[in-house]
Amino acid sequence: MSMWQAEVRIDLDAIRDNVETLRAGTTAEVMAVVKADGYGHGMLPSARAALAGGATWLGAATLDEALTLRRAGITAPVLAWLLAPGLPLHEGVTADVDLNAASLDQLGELVTAARRAGRPARVHLKIDTGLARGGATPAEWPALLEAAAKAQAGGEVEVVGIWSHFVYADAPGHETVDHQLAVFAEGLATAEQFGIEPRYRHIANSAATLTRPDAHYDLVRPGIAVYGLSPLPAGHETGLRPAMTARARVTHTKRVPAGQGVSYGHAYYTARETTLALVPLGYADGVPRHASNVGPVWLGGRTRTIAGRVCMDQIVLDCGDDPVAPGDVATLFGPGDDGMPTATDWADAVGTINYEIVTRFGGSRVSRVYDGTAGVPTPDPAGPDPAVPGPAVSGPAVSGSVVPGSTDQDFTASGAVDQGAVVRDPGAPGAVASAEEVA
Ligand SMILES: *Cc1c(COP(=O)(O)O)cnc(C)c1O
């Protein structure tokens, strides 16, 4: 595919480097959280890039996600934590997936799954230290520990971890953080009384990984930071680089007079004669409809604000007298180089968090294109081995040299897209089938 209309570009080397940065700040092991299709970045390539950066664990929300990692040949420890009753947990046990238990019922299901799988279930017991989401309350905790100790003595489970999750670590200094750490320490002490001293104690998300070394314990569980975005308020330097860029090529431009209403509902009127540019990305692709009249888009060397309503497939920019033309590249967000907007700028404009912005752009109809080599298997000179899972390499594994923002780029002529796009997501338009898909 030599020409493209809209794309989400993922810098795998940035993901690797971000994990290296996080590792450098802790003595704990790093679990890269790759749930929700790697926060929209693609679960498998993101997982491989994170492992290349030194992550030793992967975090998944669902059993399906964990099994998908295993089916792709990834052997690193994986924890899955969001489990409805009645799932085929034995498949997880057989695939060596670590599973969460936060109640007697969940532990019971794990025991059943272990019997069926013919091997102990690897379990992480979750204590609710205040989030009031998953996790056993401190009142329920001793009974869960007692049952787990019994199941462990019977060879049905192995308690690998005790864990919890923060309420508000993204507000450094918030009183809940200290309070939760105290409840967690108490929960660990109680576990010890039941003879449960797991290898992994973990509570730190990205925010606590970045700000609270005393919360790192044996394992940290960063998600958003792996993808280079900060959960912290502006001003906290993280040294991370955003991995996702969302952009599209202008499909149409036109001159319109002053007072022209623009897009559905005419929620915007031009102030003067101007050039409008049509950008083929809309809410079906991940652009929040709430970005109407507020979303920032870089085009023709400067940031503009979406003019009028976000449509299903497209947005309009008011470009004044700037010489924008069909084919020019409009960047919604990226690493933020040269003043271009970031996913955090989008979140601030729209009233959400950067997590939601990048996750929305995953799994849409827009092609996902990967730059960089981190975690990309090297092609076997003897030819492809269908037994070895891994993304297909569609060309030389060179980094994309695309510098978005100029108005006169010709990506086809520069060849940057073709050469830079080392991996295309299976199933994406123009995708090169990956080994997983073929297998
Ligand atoms: C999503 C999630 C994480 C990662 O959170 P970030 O804020 O993205 O670092 C860690 N642990 C659990 C249980 C999660 O659900």
Side-chain angles (χ1 to χ4, degrees):
M1 183 162 127
S2 61
M3 189 54 78
W4 56 281
Q5 170 153 311
E7 67 176 17
V8 171
R9 255 187 128 83
I10 309 296
D11 181 350
L12 295 173
D13 293 352
I15 292 176
R16 174 198 59 207
D17 295 349
N18 292 332
V19 172
E20 279 179 1
T21 299
L22 296 168
R23 274 191 73 209
T26 184
T27 55
E29 290 183 48
V30 173
M31 173 190 290
V33 177
V34 296
K35 65 189 179 188
D37 204 16
Y39 289 47
H41 296 67
M43 182 171 71
L44 295 177
S46 298
R48 291 192 181 100
L51 293 170
T56 51
W57 281 75
L58 297 171
T62 68
L63 179 64
D64 263 352
E65 290 171 334
L67 292 174
T68 300
L69 291 164
R70 285 287 180 261
R71 278 194 290 268
I74 291 173
T75 57
V78 173
L79 173 62
W81 54 69
L82 194 59
L83 308 168
L87 291 180
L89 294 180
H90 60 280
E91 290 178 18
V93 176
T94 301
D96 216 19
V97 171
D98 288 32
L99 297 163
N100 170 43
S103 69
L104 291 173
D105 284 347
Q106 287 178 345
L107 187 70
E109 284 211 46
L110 282 182
V111 167
T112 306
R115 289 187 187 135
R116 184 149 174 209
R119 58 187 288 188
R122 290 168 54 94
V123 59
H124 295 235
L125 300 174
K126 187 168 194 186
I127 178 166
D128 178 5
T129 53
L131 183 59
R133 215 171 61 175
T137 64
E140 298 164 335
W141 186 236
L144 182 61
L145 291 168
E146 188 180 2
K150 208 172 133 207
Q152 182 157 257
E156 286 155 325
V157 305
E158 180 190 348
V159 181
V160 177
I162 289 180
W163 71 301
S164 192
H165 196 46
F166 279 119
V167 172
Y168 209 11
D170 46 321
H174 195 266
E175 60 191 13
T176 54
V177 178
D178 285 332
H179 178 70
Q180 286 188 268
L181 283 172
V183 176
F184 191 56
E186 221 170 288
L188 290 168
T190 309
E192 222 178 303
Q193 289 165 19
F194 283 90
I196 296 180
E197 293 179 71
R199 167 73 183 81
Y200 292 98
R201 302 161 297 171
H202 51 107
I203 185 169
N205 54 5
S206 293
T209 301
L210 292 166
T211 62
R212 290 296 296 251
D214 58 325
H216 290 185
Y217 283 96
D218 310 303
L219 180 64
V220 294
R221 299 192 312 270
I224 196 74
V226 166
Y227 307 99
L229 294 167
S230 173
L232 302 171
H236 279 83
E237 189 39 57
T238 62
L240 303 168
R241 182 169 174 81
M244 180 186 287
T245 297
R247 57 186 199 165
R249 302 172 71 129
V250 170
T251 60
H252 188 77
T253 59
K254 68 176 72 171
R255 288 295 281 181
V256 297
Q260 173 67 54
V262 176
S263 190
Y264 288 131
H266 278 182
Y268 178 91
Y269 288 89
T270 55
R272 55 193 150 60
E273 184 182 322
T274 188
T275 298
L276 299 179
L278 189 59
V279 176
L281 279 171
Y283 60 77
D285 306 301
V287 182
R289 192 164 175 280
H290 278 85
S292 301
N293 278 331
V294 294
V297 179
W298 180 273
L299 174 63
R302 63 156 79 168
T303 297
R304 308 170 192 281
T305 301
I306 292 172
R309 297 258 163 85
V310 173
C311 308
M312 183 180 284
D313 316 300
Q314 45 200 307
I315 51 180
V316 178
L317 301 176
D318 180 347
C319 300
D321 294 331
D322 294 346
V324 298
D328 289 354
V329 174
T331 300
L332 276 64
F333 58 86
D337 299 336
D338 305 321
M340 280 185 246
T342 62
T344 304
D345 294 327
W346 266 79
D348 292 346
V350 174
T352 182
I353 53 177
N354 48 20
Y355 297 66
E356 186 183 356
I357 297 296
V358 287
T359 304
R360 290 177 68 99
F361 279 82
S364 74
R365 68 179 149 187
V366 181
S367 320
R368 209 192 261 134
V369 181
Y370 291 94
D371 288 313
T373 59
V376 177
T378 328
D380 183 348
D385 176 355
V388 178
V393 175
S394 67
V398 294
S399 257
S401 53
V402 179
V403 183
S406 84
T407 56
D408 56 357
Q409 290 164 333
D410 182 338
F411 284 90
T412 309
S414 78
V417 167
D418 283 341
Q419 289 174 19
V422 297
V423 182
R424 270 196 185 267
D425 221 24
V432 173
S434 77
E436 289 104 1
E437 193 179 52
V438 170

